[in-house]
Amino acid sequence: MKVLVPIKRVIDYNVKIRVKPDGSGVDLDNVKMSMNPFDEIAIEAALQLKEAGKVDEVVIATIGVEKSQDVLRTGLAMGADRAILVQVEGEVEPLGIAKVLAKIVGDEEPGFVILGKQAIDDDASQTGQMLSALLGWGQATFASALQLEEGYVRVTQEVDAGLQTIDVALPAIVTVDLRLNTPRYATLPNVMKAKRKPLEVITPADFGVDTSPRNTVLETYEPPARAGGITVQNVDELVEKLKNQAGVI
Amino acid sequence: MTKILLLAEHDNNTLNEATLRAVTAAKQIGDVNILVVGHACDAVAQTASKISGVEKVLLADGVVFVHQLAEPVAALLVELAPAYDVIMSAATSIGKSALPRVAALLDVAQISEIIEVVSPDTFVRPIYAGNALQKVRASEGKKVITVRPTSFEPAPSEGDAPIETLSTNTTNEKTTFVSAALSDGDRVELVSAKTVISGGRAFGSKEQFDQLLEPLAQKLNGAIGASRAAVDAGYAPNEWQVGQTGKVVAPDLYVAIGISGAIQHLAGMKDSKTIVAINSDPDAPINQIADYVLIADLFEAVPELTDKL
Ligand SMILES: Cc1cc2nc3c(=O)[nH]c(=O)nc-3n(C[C@H](O)[C@H](O)[C@H](O)COP(=O)(O)OP(=O)(O)OC[C@H]3O[C@@H](n4cnc5c(N)ncnc54)[C@H](O)[C@@H]3O)c2cc1C
């Protein structure tokens, strides 16, 4: 069986982002970009299934600007077999991404698709569920455990009240959460090897998909800053302030 | 007038407070109908019918809906969608799982986790873990929206809306419920608590986490939260995680103990009214957003604080 892992290039999670003063968006110039951390977990999950002999090929794909080849090379260095870049300019909403992915699924016919539960840039948490609906497949979201069986995948999902385990008939979509695994690092020899692995570049037009945004972002701005606080000297002073100044106890 | 269908969040017995908060957002957009989907969930429909300003409650009761899996819930919403302009839900696990399916099947873009209604077609939502806010205008046609509950007050319960029972043929061949391990219902609920006490990696073990935080939380009648590091280390269950990828809380009092204050953690608590940080490191990032900072060893400060309250 083949597994498809869609990934995204985002500002590295350690970077403090800057909002452009003119309100037109978040500054991406000269900022460290990396693979969305959840997508590394998705790739790791796919690689573990391959190592367990349950899948034979791990294909990764991204819809993004030309430079997104970086994160595909990272994924190949982790151990993915093959990569697809659907090259676009500018932002594509999750719906557009899901439509392109549905076309890739049509061509590649993977047995299932594993992807991150959200991207840490737009925090939308939509792509996996949308892809699942477009394909008419079942879905599991926010996975913290995953077991591939004959004809179905058993997934433990992190839900508001705790954990819920479901079986999803294959082919299926699984979106992964932080506690599923700890992704491996790409070793230097593997980074070198990854340079020779196949990376195909196509455009959404090749699929006849319109990825132009539906919603209009009118403005991007910084949230109001919190006023600085005070340092209390000891527990007594803390209790006194909480009682008499903040009035919260 | 814009017609809204709002999916209720519940466990077949109790309506979750997140829905009352989502109603407040919905009322700023148009006329609200509530959809209760589940099994043997009459009590939930009754509670929903009392929410002020709700026009009608639709009740879809069926075995297929008992665990509210995304596929049948989304299919039902799509079936009902022609009569509505907006499909909404609180950004809870069920809402987050089902609504993007609805949006895709209706071929519209979803707007996730709105924190403000600017006008019936324009909303504010956080991006980058809340380090930036985006004002978004939805395209014409149907809208699919999830609401961040902590950004809206709960709607009062002084109404008396009619309940209409739906009959549906919804089926689900794709997903099957296996089991659940849910938190104990007697605890103060994290998301709606007035006081939240959160612990981080610094507690060192589950025993110390429980021994130090339980008595303090009890004294303050608060809920316990945790950083990702504390959850990953097994000190606390996953549903206690506060942050970008955990729960978003905004209590009157948030006490962060032995938590450094990574942006991913701040994303889940920085709208709390009063923030206290107890940390041994004067340079911990959490201190920059806290109202009261106590530089101390938590193993001494927490028992002393519990004593003195
Ligand atoms: C994609 C992604 C998503 C994430 N989502 C979340 C999320 O939702 N929520 C979340 O919390 N994190 C999240 N994280 C993780 C986050 O980046 C931090 O790693 C995490 O919050 C750190 O937890 P911590 O503050 O408990 O631990 P640490 O950063 O290790 O901090 C421990 C703190 O304890 C203090 N300390 C140590 N000993 C004592 C003592 N004896 N007394 C008092 N203080 C002491 C230290 O000074 C330090 O400040 C995410 C990360 C990624 C990459």
Side-chain angles (χ1 to χ4, degrees), chain B residues 1 4 6 23-24 26-28 30-34 48-57 155-162:
Chain B
M1 190 70 178
I4 298 164
L6 177 78
V23 167
T24 300
K27 284 200 288 194
Q28 296 173 28
D31 293 337
V32 186
N33 289 5
I34 293 192
S49 72
K50 303 285 182 299
I51 305 173
S52 307
V54 168
E55 291 211 317
K56 186 162 74 175
V57 174
S157 290
E158 291 153 5
D160 186 17

Side-chain angles (χ1 to χ4, degrees), chain B residues 1 16 102 129 254 288 305 308:
Chain B
M1 190 70 178
N16 192 295
V102 175
Y254 187 90
Q288 283 162 24
L305 177 61
K308 288 183 170 160

Side-chain angles (χ1 to χ4, degrees), chain A residues 12 17 40 44-46 49 56 80 90 123 157 216 234 246:
Chain A
D12 188 87
I17 59 135
E40 294 179 341
E44 177 64 36
L49 289 171
D56 0 271
D123 285 332
Q157 317 185 96
T216 315
N234 49 42

Side-chain angles (χ1 to χ4, degrees), chain A residues 99 121-123 126 132 139 160-161 163 165 167 169 179 214 216 218-219 221 226 230 232 245, chain B residues 71 93 101 107 112 125 128 133 135 137 174 176 178-179 181 183 232 241 247 270 272 291-293:
Chain A
K99 286 182 176 179
D121 51 2
D122 63 15
D123 285 332
Q126 299 173 7
S132 170
Q139 72 180 39
D160 291 338
L163 297 171
T165 302
D167 286 344
R179 276 170 282 278
R214 304 288 184 80
T216 315
L218 301 174
E219 191 190 349
Y221 55 99
R226 283 189 81 96
I230 58 164
V232 293
Q245 197 174 61
Chain B
E71 294 79 2
S93 358
R101 291 186 74 90
D107 194 27
S112 295
R125 62 175 304 265
Y128 288 95
L133 302 178
K135 191 183 285 182
R137 188 168 63 221
K174 305 291 182 197
T176 321
V178 178
S179 63
S183 57
D232 285 1
Q241 180 176 315
K247 297 235 162 72
K270 71 182 160 62
S272 305
D291 301 286
Y292 302 105
V293 177

Side-chain angles (χ1 to χ4, degrees), chain A residues 7 28 75 79 97 105 120 143 161 222 239-240 242:
Chain A
I7 65 175
L28 300 182
I97 301 284
V105 168
I120 59 165
E222 282 189 32
V239 173
E240 190 272 320
L242 291 178

Side-chain angles (χ1 to χ4, degrees), chain B residues 158-227:
Chain B
E158 291 153 5
D160 186 17
I163 301 174
E164 184 182 310
T165 306
L166 302 175
S167 61
T168 81
N169 313 318
T170 310
T171 55
N172 179 17
E173 284 93 44
K174 305 291 182 197
T175 49
T176 321
F177 173 83
V178 178
S179 63
L182 304 181
S183 57
D184 150 16
D186 294 341
R187 285 191 163 275
V188 183
E189 218 216 342
L190 181 56
V191 175
S192 51
K194 294 245 176 295
T195 300
V196 174
I197 320 292
S198 285
R201 195 197 306 269
F203 281 80
S205 73
K206 177 167 171 32
E207 289 67 40
Q208 305 192 85
F209 190 93
D210 290 344
Q211 274 166 21
L212 290 165
L213 291 184
E214 293 280 358
L216 178 58
Q218 256 169 28
K219 272 240 165 127
L220 289 168
N221 190 27
I224 301 182
S227 70

Side-chain angles (χ1 to χ4, degrees), chain B residues 200-201 227-228 241-243 245 258 260 264-265 279-280 297-298:
Chain B
R201 195 197 306 269
S227 70
R228 173 193 175 186
Q241 180 176 315
V242 170
T245 58
S260 59
Q264 293 87 6
H265 187 79
N279 199 303
S280 51
D297 180 354
L298 72 90

